[in-house]
Amino acid sequence: MLINHPILGPRDAAEFTYLGDAALIDRPNWQADDAAEAFHDYLYLRDNPAGLHRELWFHEQGDRSWLVVTRNTLTHEITSVELARDVALARGRGKE
Amino acid sequence: MRYSGFRVIKEALTGHRGWKPAWRDVAPQAEYDYVIIGGGGHGLAAAYYLAKQFGGKKIAVLEKGWIGGGNVGRNTTIIRSNYLLDGNEPFYEFSLKLWENLEQELNYNAMVSQRGILNLVHTDAQRDAARRRGNAMILNGSDAELLDADGVRKMYPFLNFDNARFPIKGGLLHRRGGTVRHDAVAWGYARGADQHGVDIIQNCEVTGFRIDGGKIKGVETTRGYIGAKKVASSVAGSSSRVMSMAGMRLPIESHVLQAFVSEGLKPTIPGVITYGAGHFYCSQSDKGGLVFGGDIDGYNTYAQRGNLPVVEDVIESGVSLIPALGRVRLLRSWGGIMDMSMDGSPFIDKTHIEGLYFNGGWCYGGFKATPAAGWCLAHLLATDTPHETATAYRLDRFRSGLIIDEKGQGAQPNLH
Amino acid sequence: MTINRLKGGLVDHGAPLNFTFDGKTYQGLAGDTLASALLANGRRLMGRSFKYHRPRGVMTAGSEEPNALVELREGGRQEPNTRATTVELFDGLTANSQNRIGSLERDLMGVNDLFANFLSAGFYYKTFMWPRAFWEKIYEPIIRNAAGLGSVSFEDDPDLYDKGFLHCDLLVIGAGPAGLAAALTAGRAGARVILAEEDFLLGGRLLAETSGLEDQSGLGWVTQAQAELSAMDNVRIMPRTTVAGAYDHGIYGAVERVSDHLAVPEAGKPRQCFWRIYSKRALVCAGALERPIAFENNDRPGVMLAGATRAYANRWAVTPAQSVVVFANSDDGHKTAADLMAKGIEVPAIVDIRADAPALPGTEVLAGAQIIDTKGRLGVTSVTVRLANGQTRSIACGAVANSGGWNPNLGLTCHQRGRPTWNDHIHAFVPGADLPVGQLVAGAAAGQFSTHAALTTGAEQAVAALADLGITASVGDLPKAEDAPRAMTPFWHVKGAKRAWVDFQNDVTVKDVKLSHQEGFRAVEHLKRYTTLGMATDQGKTSNVTGLAVMAELTGKSIPETGTTIYRPPYVPVAMGTLAGRSVGKEFHPTRLTPSHKWAEEQGAVFVEVGNWLRAQWFPKAGETTWRDSVDREVTATRQSVGVCDVTTLGKIDVQGPDAAEFLNKLYINGFAKLAVGKVRYGVMLREDGIAYDDGTAARLAEDHFVVTTTTANAVLVYRNMEFARQCLFPGLDVQIISTTEAWAQYAVAGPNSRKLLQKIVDPEFDISNEAFPFMGCREITVCGGLRARLFRISFSGELAYEIAVPTRYGDALIRRLMAEGEEFNVTPYGTEALGVMRIEKGHAVGNELNGTTTAANLGMARMVSKKKDCIGNTLSERDGLNREGDYRLVGLKPKEAQKMIPAGAHMMSQTGSVDAASDQGYVTSACYSPSLESYIALGFLKDGANRMGETLRMVNPLEGTELLAEVVSAHFVDPEGGRLRD
């Protein structure tokens, strides 16, 4: 597979390390009343869709960017690649 | 019809006219007591034991394609009970004991061949871990032997001992482990289940569940609605897709595992060998092909095919371990979709919906589990209590923290 | 002159080559394949079939060959199952037939054929079950010895293999008329083109046919096209290159047989090269494969595909026999007969199943006839024909040219699980709509069977492919070519009661397909798996469609309804050495060397693999006979005076920025915000699931600057997780990190004299006295007169100890300097074994203890977890299942008899009670001999261990049949109060 890195251009997927669903960005608040349940769902449950999947790849053999790749799990077609940091900021993550 | 050498001779002499279909081709009835979704090894074994061992009646197995077309027909055929943890080893030992009597049980030669599995160790820490595991196996009634480098060399002189990046320091030998003719397992259970009255319905895809007041009523299928008192999903690889129709999110990701076979060779590798310093394990089929595999590709996928980096990684490992493979040719590679669970261990459990049961999350260890998974799922369906060897395979174990993490990799499915 | 050699062809009649087959010497010509050379010598028998051991000859002229498999070459270069049809002849070639007992002519396993009736499809599933023990002891060994094909020599392969990467706009796969037209079109447009051809000559069927082009010879145009392409800098022509697999995003795997046509590779050249080709577009011009008609005893040597007989006659100037009967269901039969007769070969008859087959001068056309049987033990001697009027006639011949039509070569078009569609015009599957992204198909592979259609679709598809890329190309002048219609009457098998082969190698006959149907194995995948149809080394290239056509007939379904099995890579079998490339043997993984490696080598150190690192394990001295002698000495010397160990392999991560301390607070269970500048703190990291996965130190060099260390094993993982936390979880923190593991050489200097030793090299302006630089201090300093360095007062050994880091390029100089300056203290280098002994003596956890299931509480570090802040893993570490009464706790273990080793991996049992899984109390994680205590000691996890000090337990090791008693003690064996650290 090729991943079109937003900064570096197309790179072989073998340069990257895969983590999983990009929902792993949405780490729950540890002080919330339902934190235990929220962390359980966050860490362990997956939509695991057959189709478009937003997922985290780390450019380990490259510039060390974490990327959010939107890829179809039936065809492996990649439709968008974003810097995970941008995605995280857009989703309201900051210092917590 | 009973199979035997005598029968083969008789049929040979009479033009093979007497052979009957191994299982009936039936249309679904309106209602069953038990519907098992998935005509793979586990589903067919569950149906067989449910009918034979637990006296279940009115049982159907629904298969969206052809039976045995999932991972039971697409694996590297290994059976073993060499697990470390309490939640696992008794279950796999139960499974191995069922394998050991499978042909007689089913009157079908699935070629269970206890050729021995050797897990190589390359570091002192690996040897320590192998010792802990071997002792756990013995304490659970399985078998294990710890070999030193010389012991390994005597057994497999063709391994790379003298020019290795990671020298072989020994191995954990599990003599009762081995291989089975994988397709025959599905066919043998199908035939056995059919003989006990189970309806095996192919080309029948489940498209939805009918649930009323938290209770299962039946399943919608491409061949119409089928009512059922109890429904079990046994569709490893597609578990998330099927259970999402019941509104459930699972602690499972779908990943592809590639496997490989070489051209046919005269006897080359007597047993099963797993490399401890790379992703490679190998055995030789009765037909002569070397059957081998390695790691999953590592990304979520439902496409039953993989990519080159893993192909090359597996074969680099293989040739590094067994240099003689260099001039052997890879004949075919294929990919199967695994239910990769969050701790590498499976689930055989009820769900929050009354009458709906779940068997899945087998990662790439489902084949060896086939007899016991079938038995334990049948036990659960028939008695509503888990079998004594499968009590740990709970869906809520991540909430409780009672995790069964054989590899110690945590909640990252692609590392199990 | 060899008996079946003809005139002409593309072989060099002036260049004879000697070779041996089964020990007998033969002569062939340059340009021959092994198959054509054997045919030239009158050898039709080349192998034996898999199950019945029937005599077999060559059937095809390409890589789809099912029968003519040989063991090529000898010794370390022996290659089993090599297709004689793809082996380019070279002088001195050696080949042997395989899968036989005794000679090929008198294979004793041929007896199987007599029992064929008992060995029907799937018979083995129904028998060999009694008595139970006999399967593994008697039946299976017999089956295994009979099965298999060629054999492995087990000698070292002396050849090299390589890998390479290529990029192109258009990858053209196959250099027949379609591929050449495509490559010319794209090349002329300036696109970057790769033209890959499996054969050693370009041209495809143009080399095998006489009827392709109208105004010029096929060869003439091929030569001209090749010359034009060769002159283009933007075109790379790759003969002897098989594109074996189509992968995601336009990536193709290809095997170039660089040296297989030579006796041995040229010096420094690989035998084969595996290319990963990154293509923007790929055009499959892989042609079509002919399919045989099944009839009784259609497997005898001499029965061949018609197209192959034409290729042998026209290109290689050989014939399998002087008299060839043609059997066909289309005009292909006439074409074959005409070509053979033009070469002077007798064609006694064309047996054409069509009632209206036209006549052909020079031979008899038996219209509406079928071949119903053949005769001849080791090669066909006659065929029996049933004529249109129902009479039978026997016709003497030495070969049969058999054609049942052509199947487009679909492999690469289906490697991503695309499904082909059925074409009712040519009665074959053609590529479907779901091709791999970026792939196009032209020529016969697309079902375009005429030469004209191949040329035009090749050029047109190239234009289309380039248009997608914004490159303008146009279909230029193409040669005039035949454009005959290819309509045909589908005909799959001649009905009969005896065996008619479908899959030649695996001995699957029409009867087997019928039995499969009868027993309910009707889905194509069941058919394949039950009968083994299509599972041989040719993967059903000549048999699959025929087999499923027979099944379709039986079920009454159409062929497309019946469906196909799945095409999988590789297209043809690929040597595993090629896929491994150079990453084998010692080069399997990269080897990382520490800065002191060269010095350690000079000292005679013994090295050990630690991940990809090589580390000094111990430093043997003269007179030491066992590793224990060395290790005990190194430990004792360190504890008594001073020792030095290279710890560069520990992960080092630089953390800088205003929020650096806050960032570390998120990563470690304990707090770092209040750590003073110039201080180091030990920290434990959890995974998000609450399991402790790494430990190390963080040194605060400045308010906004920390240096984090990790374990050697987890250096990469910790860094990855830190980047995840920084970029994905806490992007608002102003912090930057970088791995500096390779940038700094780092040595542990440990022992009561460590300060004195360091004082000799640390520049005098830096005071490292105990008062000025106490335990857990850190500082940027200079050494040896101005060399920048970092000094940490931390200890893994439990002694007064430091770790000193200098830029990596000074690592070698520093170890030499330390050794020289330390002479007066008897400074002792120590390796990983002594390091391990000292850490066990101090009860420090490493990988053996941090095994991925361990909590901070298991390690006795529950109190370290700060509850005032969030950190990764904090919330889920509180789950009940990880905090049960009586959970594992890390303990020390001392054997009752000091000189008895406690094996790591032993399990702990109570002194009374049974030894079984239910009674298991824990397990031993690490063990060593402690020279400090003069006793073996160990660490382990024991249920409720904290409350069981002083208890005596059995350390059971049934695996090796040992058992001993040990006392539960504190894990801190040496200096538990830590006084030495602070001196």
Side-chain angles (χ1 to χ4, degrees):
Chain A
M1 290 197 288
L2 292 174
I3 293 174
N4 194 5
H5 192 298
I7 299 168
L8 302 170
R11 294 294 177 128
D12 196 304
E15 293 177 10
F16 295 80
T17 301
Y18 181 82
L19 181 64
D21 195 314
L24 287 168
I25 289 173
D26 302 325
R27 188 170 181 270
N29 177 0
W30 69 293
Q31 288 173 309
D33 290 341
D34 66 344
E37 190 64 15
F39 267 94
H40 166 267
D41 292 0
Y42 160 77
L43 189 64
Y44 290 110
L45 300 187
R46 296 284 188 275
D47 289 339
N48 195 22
L52 285 189
H53 188 231
R54 280 165 60 80
E55 57 198 24
L56 287 156
W57 293 75
F58 179 53
H59 200 197
E60 188 132 49
Q61 313 293 322
D63 76 339
R64 311 186 305 276
S65 290
W66 276 94
L67 304 180
V68 174
V69 175
T70 305
R71 191 177 56 92
N72 188 315
T73 58
L74 291 166
T75 63
H76 298 171
E77 185 193 8
I78 292 174
T79 46
S80 102
V81 184
E82 303 154 89
L83 290 175
R85 187 168 185 275
D86 294 345
V87 174
L89 287 168
R91 295 185 69 80
R93 296 211 68 85
K95 296 191 173 199
E96 292 295 322
Chain B
M1 173 190 282
R2 213 175 152 71
Y3 290 157
S4 66
F6 174 75
R7 182 91 200 192
V8 169
I9 292 167
K10 178 169 173 268
E11 288 296 333
L13 298 173
T14 55
H16 294 287
R17 282 187 291 267
W19 297 119
K20 297 278 185 298
W23 59 88
R24 295 163 298 137
D25 187 16
V26 292
Q29 296 172 32
E31 173 132 15
Y32 289 93
D33 287 353
Y34 301 95
V35 161
I36 295 168
I37 307 170
H42 287 207
L44 293 165
Y48 171 77
Y49 291 119
L50 187 56
K52 185 184 176 236
Q53 217 65 39
F54 297 94
K57 307 276 181 231
K58 298 193 70 179
I59 304 164
V61 175
L62 309 184
E63 168 54 49
K64 79 172 168 185
W66 40 279
I67 63 162
N71 292 332
V72 73
R74 208 170 274 136
N75 61 72
T76 42
T77 80
I78 294 167
I79 59 168
R80 57 186 169 92
S81 90
N82 58 357
Y83 282 71
L84 171 68
L85 300 176
D86 292 343
N88 278 329
E89 181 57 16
F91 172 84
Y92 288 102
E93 181 55 26
F94 176 49
S95 202
L96 192 53
K97 291 205 166 78
L98 291 173
W99 283 118
E100 285 172 331
N101 202 36
L102 192 77
E103 277 93 1
Q104 286 66 35
E105 171 77 25
L106 297 178
N107 175 232
Y108 203 83
N109 187 2
M111 305 179 200
V112 173
S113 178
Q114 293 178 290
R115 325 188 60 75
I117 291 182
L118 180 64
N119 290 95
L120 296 171
V121 302
H122 306 263
T123 66
D124 290 345
Q126 279 185 334
R127 190 195 290 112
D128 296 347
R131 195 181 285 113
R132 179 187 169 204
R133 176 183 301 268
N135 281 322
M137 290 160 65
I138 292 169
L139 292 171
N140 277 293
S142 185
D143 72 285
E145 291 165 47
L146 191 63
L147 304 185
D148 60 11
D150 281 343
V152 174
R153 197 190 281 261
K154 274 196 200 103
M155 209 171 163
Y156 292 119
F158 52 80
L159 300 182
N160 183 1
F161 291 93
D162 303 321
N163 185 36
R165 175 70 180 80
F166 300 105
I168 295 165
K169 296 207 168 164
L172 188 65
L173 177 63
H174 174 40
R175 289 195 191 271
R176 285 162 62 244
T179 58
V180 181
R181 170 78 183 98
H182 58 320
D183 290 317
V185 175
W187 303 337
Y189 275 118
R191 178 167 163 270
D194 178 82
Q195 286 172 351
H196 284 89
V198 173
D199 281 358
I200 296 167
I201 303 160
Q202 301 187 90
N203 300 307
C204 180
E205 183 173 359
V206 170
T207 55
F209 293 100
R210 202 174 282 182
I211 298 163
D212 187 13
K215 262 183 93 165
I216 196 86
K217 295 293 170 192
V219 292
E220 310 285 353
T221 80
T222 49
R223 295 175 73 169
Y225 174 73
I226 301 172
K229 296 196 177 76
K230 291 184 173 181
V231 175
S233 169
S234 184
V235 296
S238 297
S239 291
S240 296
R241 282 203 275 193
V242 168
M243 297 310 280
S244 73
M245 294 189 284
M248 289 178 68
R249 287 174 86 215
L250 299 177
I252 284 173
E253 291 180 2
S254 295
H255 286 259
V256 66
L257 178 68
Q258 299 192 64
F260 310 87
V261 65
S262 78
E263 293 182 335
L265 300 168
K266 288 295 170 194
T268 304
I269 297 178
V272 185
I273 306 171
T274 74
Y275 191 24
H279 304 119
F280 179 74
Y281 57 92
C282 185
S283 66
Q284 187 169 17
S285 75
D286 284 344
K287 200 164 168 285
L290 303 181
V291 180
F292 58 99
D295 210 356
I296 55 176
D297 270 38
Y299 43 80
N300 285 53
T301 179
Y302 286 92
Q304 289 172 317
R305 57 187 178 81
N307 276 295
L308 271 177
V310 165
V311 178
E312 295 179 50
D313 176 62
V314 170
I315 292 175
E316 285 165 7
S317 300
V319 180
S320 292
L321 179 65
I322 310 175
L325 296 185
R327 290 186 101 96
V328 172
R329 293 191 198 85
L330 169 67
L331 174 61
R332 186 175 174 90
S333 61
W334 63 95
I337 301 305
M338 312 289 126
D339 269 9
M340 297 304 295
S341 73
M342 288 290 156
D343 59 0
S345 295
F347 309 95
I348 304 175
D349 203 0
K350 302 181 202 178
T351 69
H352 68 283
I353 295 161
E354 195 184 330
L356 180 61
Y357 301 79
F358 178 65
N359 167 51
W362 289 96
C363 300
Y364 39 82
F367 179 69
K368 74 180 86 68
T370 303
W375 185 298
C376 294
L377 179 57
H379 186 285
L380 182 68
L381 282 165
T383 67
D384 271 322
T385 54
H387 185 263
E388 59 179 355
T389 65
T391 54
Y393 297 151
R394 300 281 305 272
L395 273 164
D396 69 353
R397 66 175 179 264
F398 302 110
R399 201 168 269 114
S400 67
L402 298 174
I403 300 158
I404 322 164
D405 191 347
E406 194 82 16
K407 278 194 176 174
Q409 295 290 356
Q412 205 178 326
N414 64 347
L415 298 181
H416 287 293
Chain C
M1 179 100 179
T2 40
I3 59 170
N4 284 329
R5 178 71 70 186
L6 311 171
K7 290 198 175 57
L10 302 180
V11 287
D12 186 345
H13 292 269
L17 302 171
N18 291 310
F19 69 101
T20 66
F21 180 67
D22 278 347
K24 201 174 160 205
T25 301
Y26 298 93
Q27 204 170 70
L29 300 176
D32 261 329
T33 63
L34 176 58
S36 68
L38 285 171
L39 288 176
N41 284 279
R43 271 212 75 121
R44 291 175 300 175
L45 176 67
M46 297 185 198
R48 288 275 173 171
S49 68
F50 176 76
K51 186 158 82 169
Y52 301 137
H53 286 253
R54 300 261 297 184
R56 288 295 162 76
V58 68
M59 179 170 151
T60 73
S63 62
E64 68 274 27
E65 174 60 33
N67 286 342
L69 306 185
V70 301
E71 283 171 6
L72 185 69
R73 305 175 193 259
E74 291 176 324
R77 290 195 166 93
Q78 180 173 313
E79 279 171 63
N81 308 332
T82 305
R83 292 143 194 77
T85 50
T86 61
V87 176
E88 273 178 72
L89 200 66
F90 54 83
D91 201 49
L93 178 148
T94 318
N96 288 292
S97 61
Q98 55 181 36
N99 194 31
R100 56 176 166 78
I101 297 177
S103 70
L104 183 58
E105 286 74 11
R106 301 184 179 281
D107 176 12
L108 295 176
M109 295 295 289
V111 69
N112 284 3
D113 199 36
L114 301 175
F115 297 103
N117 227 0
F118 301 93
L119 310 181
S120 58
F123 78 98
Y124 29 74
Y125 300 126
K126 300 167 182 164
T127 182
F128 303 134
M129 289 178 280
W130 188 90
R132 198 177 104 175
F134 270 39
W135 168 248
E136 279 174 32
K137 296 208 164 53
I138 311 282
Y139 303 130
E140 193 183 34
I142 293 172
I143 290 173
R144 286 174 85 90
N145 283 315
L149 297 165
S151 54
V152 172
S153 77
F154 285 114
E155 289 177 42
D156 284 353
D157 183 349
D159 290 342
L160 286 175
Y161 298 85
D162 229 330
K163 288 187 188 176
F165 300 82
L166 293 171
H167 298 259
C168 63
D169 294 320
L170 184 65
L171 167 64
V172 180
I173 301 161
L180 286 170
L184 284 170
T185 304
R188 287 168 186 162
R192 290 172 72 192
V193 178
I194 293 172
L195 175 61
E197 168 55 52
E198 183 172 48
D199 202 333
F200 54 97
L201 297 180
L202 308 190
R205 285 305 295 181
L206 288 173
L207 306 181
E209 307 287 8
T210 54
S211 59
L213 304 184
E214 291 180 355
D215 295 342
Q216 56 185 315
S217 75
L219 179 66
W221 182 72
V222 170
T223 309
Q224 189 188 313
Q226 185 167 359
E228 183 179 345
L229 290 167
S230 301
M232 294 180 186
D233 290 341
N234 54 327
V235 176
R236 181 182 179 118
I237 304 175
M238 300 179 74
R240 300 189 177 100
T241 301
T242 305
V243 178
Y247 297 91
D248 279 317
H249 304 164
I251 299 172
Y252 288 79
V255 179
E256 182 179 8
R257 293 179 302 282
V258 179
S259 308
D260 278 352
H261 58 297
L262 305 171
V264 294
E266 288 172 33
K269 286 267 182 76
R271 175 189 163 216
Q272 298 187 344
C273 182
F274 186 73
W275 295 101
R276 207 187 285 188
I277 302 175
Y278 298 78
S279 70
K280 289 181 183 158
R281 292 291 181 276
L283 180 57
V284 176
C285 304
L289 301 174
E290 199 169 14
R291 61 196 186 208
I293 298 171
F295 54 90
E296 285 176 11
N297 291 312
N298 58 337
D299 67 327
R300 295 194 199 280
V303 182
M304 296 168 65
L305 287 168
T309 59
R310 296 203 297 277
Y312 283 117
N314 293 329
R315 172 173 169 183
W316 282 287
V318 296
T319 180
Q322 293 301 320
S323 169
V324 180
V325 166
V326 175
F327 185 30
N329 63 336
S330 72
D331 292 343
D332 221 81
H334 288 64
K335 186 155 83 173
T336 305
D339 276 12
L340 295 180
M341 289 189 294
K343 287 279 186 177
I345 298 157
E346 185 203 358
V347 178
I350 299 174
V351 182
D352 196 320
I353 63 113
R354 299 173 299 176
D356 58 349
L360 184 73
T363 185
E364 183 182 8
V365 176
L366 302 172
Q370 299 174 2
I371 296 180
I372 57 169
D373 201 0
T374 68
K375 289 198 166 50
R377 194 176 78 84
L378 296 176
V380 64
T381 52
S382 71
V383 295
T384 309
V385 178
R386 186 171 57 225
L387 303 171
N389 63 9
Q391 290 176 341
T392 59
R393 188 207 288 183
S394 175
I395 304 171
C397 62
V400 177
N402 181 9
S403 178
W406 293 73
N407 294 317
N409 194 357
L410 299 175
L412 292 168
T413 70
C414 297
H415 275 182
Q416 293 180 18
R417 306 211 54 176
R419 291 290 185 176
T421 54
W422 185 252
N423 180 315
D424 267 328
H425 183 63
I426 57 171
H427 292 276
F429 282 104
V430 295
D434 47 1
L435 294 174
V437 174
Q439 190 185 87
L440 303 89
V441 195
Q448 303 288 339
F449 283 168
S450 80
T451 312
H452 172 77
L455 290 164
T456 49
T457 57
E460 286 163 5
Q461 292 291 70
V463 171
L466 297 182
D468 282 354
L469 305 177
I471 301 172
T472 307
S474 58
V475 177
D477 285 343
L478 295 170
K480 269 187 147 175
E482 61 80 21
D483 196 17
R486 292 299 203 273
M488 48 96 71
T489 312
F491 188 78
W492 305 100
H493 67 109
V494 177
K495 298 202 169 37
K498 290 189 283 181
R499 286 175 296 170
W501 270 259
V502 178
D503 183 319
F504 286 73
Q505 189 182 127
N506 271 355
D507 281 321
V508 180
T509 65
V510 171
K511 283 171 75 172
D512 293 314
V513 180
K514 287 180 177 164
L515 182 61
S516 180
H517 174 263
Q518 182 182 333
E519 296 194 80
F521 295 90
R522 296 173 186 183
V524 281
E525 286 283 352
H526 284 156
L527 168 66
K528 166 186 157 180
R529 290 152 188 264
Y530 194 62
T531 64
T532 74
L533 171 75
M535 291 172 80
T537 61
D538 61 321
Q539 291 284 286
K541 288 187 178 69
T542 55
S543 60
N544 276 345
V545 178
T546 309
L548 64 94
V550 175
M551 180 57 83
E553 233 173 67
L554 293 165
T555 57
K557 290 184 181 170
S558 69
I559 292 173
E561 278 170 340
T562 305
T564 62
T565 52
I566 302 165
Y567 295 81
R568 296 281 197 181
Y571 167 66
V572 292
V574 175
M576 288 173 63
T578 311
L579 287 160
R582 290 182 187 254
S583 299
V584 293
K586 293 272 192 203
E587 307 302 321
F588 169 52
H589 274 198
T591 302
R592 300 174 79 182
L593 301 181
T594 63
S596 66
H597 186 84
K598 188 160 174 287
W599 172 84
E601 250 178 357
E602 289 165 16
Q603 312 309 308
V606 172
F607 293 95
V608 64
E609 297 76 19
V610 181
N612 281 342
W613 292 99
L614 274 188
R615 297 186 72 180
Q617 194 172 13
W618 64 85
F619 294 82
K621 274 198 167 172
E624 291 175 343
T625 53
T626 70
W627 64 274
R628 266 280 310 283
D629 292 346
S630 311
V631 173
D632 289 358
R633 171 183 51 75
E634 290 169 18
V635 170
T636 305
T638 302
R639 293 220 183 276
Q640 288 176 356
S641 179
V642 60
V644 178
C645 182
D646 190 332
V647 295
T648 302
T649 62
L650 294 177
K652 307 179 207 73
I653 299 164
D654 222 60
V655 181
Q656 297 195 38
D659 293 328
E662 182 53 31
F663 181 61
L664 294 186
N665 265 351
K666 304 283 190 197
L667 301 172
Y668 286 111
I669 58 174
N670 43 335
F672 282 79
K674 291 180 185 149
L675 182 66
V677 172
K679 283 291 188 181
V680 185
R681 186 168 286 170
Y682 173 77
V684 172
M685 290 188 192
L686 306 183
R687 300 188 306 228
E688 193 67 275
D689 66 355
I691 298 295
Y693 84 99
D694 203 63
D695 67 345
T697 58
R700 194 164 202 168
L701 295 176
E703 197 58 36
D704 60 353
H705 186 190
F706 290 81
V707 172
V708 165
T709 65
T710 76
T711 60
T712 300
N714 283 330
V716 170
L717 177 63
V718 170
Y719 182 75
R720 183 192 307 156
N721 291 346
M722 286 173 71
E723 284 288 12
F724 180 71
R726 190 181 73 89
Q727 296 175 42
C728 300
L729 300 182
F730 314 111
L733 293 179
D734 189 353
V735 62
Q736 300 295 324
I737 62 176
I738 193 163
S739 166
T740 60
T741 304
E742 286 86 355
W744 294 90
Q746 195 151 318
Y747 296 98
V749 182
N753 285 321
S754 57
R755 184 184 299 122
K756 286 184 199 149
L757 169 55
L758 284 172
Q759 277 167 334
K760 293 179 71 178
I761 64 158
V762 171
D763 289 341
E765 60 266 41
F766 300 101
D767 181 357
I768 61 167
S769 68
N770 198 29
E771 297 68 38
F773 194 67
F775 180 55
M776 296 309 255
C778 65
R779 201 165 170 194
E780 288 180 292
I781 59 170
T782 60
V783 297
C784 306
L787 173 63
R788 70 195 175 97
R790 288 170 174 174
L791 190 63
F792 310 91
R793 190 169 159 191
I794 52 179
S795 176
F796 200 49
S797 57
E799 299 298 325
L800 166 67
Y802 301 82
E803 288 186 15
I804 181 165
V806 293
T808 300
R809 63 184 180 282
Y810 296 100
D812 178 77
L814 182 63
I815 187 71
R816 290 174 197 275
R817 184 72 173 264
L818 284 168
M819 287 301 129
E821 301 285 355
E823 221 164 297
E824 60 175 296
F825 310 112
N826 183 33
V827 63
T828 300
Y830 64 95
T832 54
E833 287 298 324
L835 183 81
V837 169
M838 287 190 275
R839 74 94 191 166
I840 294 172
E841 289 177 337
K842 282 300 289 181
H844 289 308
V846 297
N848 288 27
E849 286 76 32
L850 297 172
N851 58 23
T853 60
T854 309
T855 63
N858 294 150
L859 296 168
M861 295 177 176
R863 277 176 303 166
M864 257 178 80
V865 183
S866 166
K867 296 294 169 193
K868 284 183 247 156
K869 67 175 182 77
D870 184 20
C871 80
I872 287 171
N874 203 348
T875 302
L876 289 174
S877 74
E878 292 172 1
R879 285 176 290 176
D880 294 343
L882 299 178
N883 296 282
R884 290 175 299 181
E885 289 290 316
D887 271 350
Y888 283 137
R889 176 64 79 88
L890 186 67
V891 297
L893 297 160
K894 265 189 92 168
K896 284 292 180 188
E897 295 169 64
Q899 300 311 309
K900 275 199 169 172
M901 185 182 71
I902 304 174
H907 288 237
M908 304 181 205
M909 303 281 162
S910 300
Q911 259 182 290
T912 54
S914 53
V915 174
D916 53 31
S919 314
D920 206 341
Q921 300 288 299
Y923 59 97
V924 180
T925 54
S926 303
C928 70
Y929 179 78
S930 164
S932 315
L933 278 74
E934 296 184 339
S935 168
Y936 278 98
I937 57 171
L939 300 175
F941 285 113
L942 174 63
K943 287 178 181 166
D944 198 25
N947 298 316
R948 296 174 73 171
M949 292 299 143
E951 211 175 298
T952 298
L953 294 169
R954 295 157 77 182
M955 307 288 119
V956 304
N957 180 25
L959 184 65
E960 293 165 295
T962 66
E963 181 179 324
L964 74 163
L965 294 175
E967 186 189 340
V968 181
V969 297
S970 158
H972 308 290
F973 292 94
V974 169
D975 188 28
E977 297 77 30
R980 297 186 199 172
L981 302 166
R982 295 175 173 83
D983 277 349

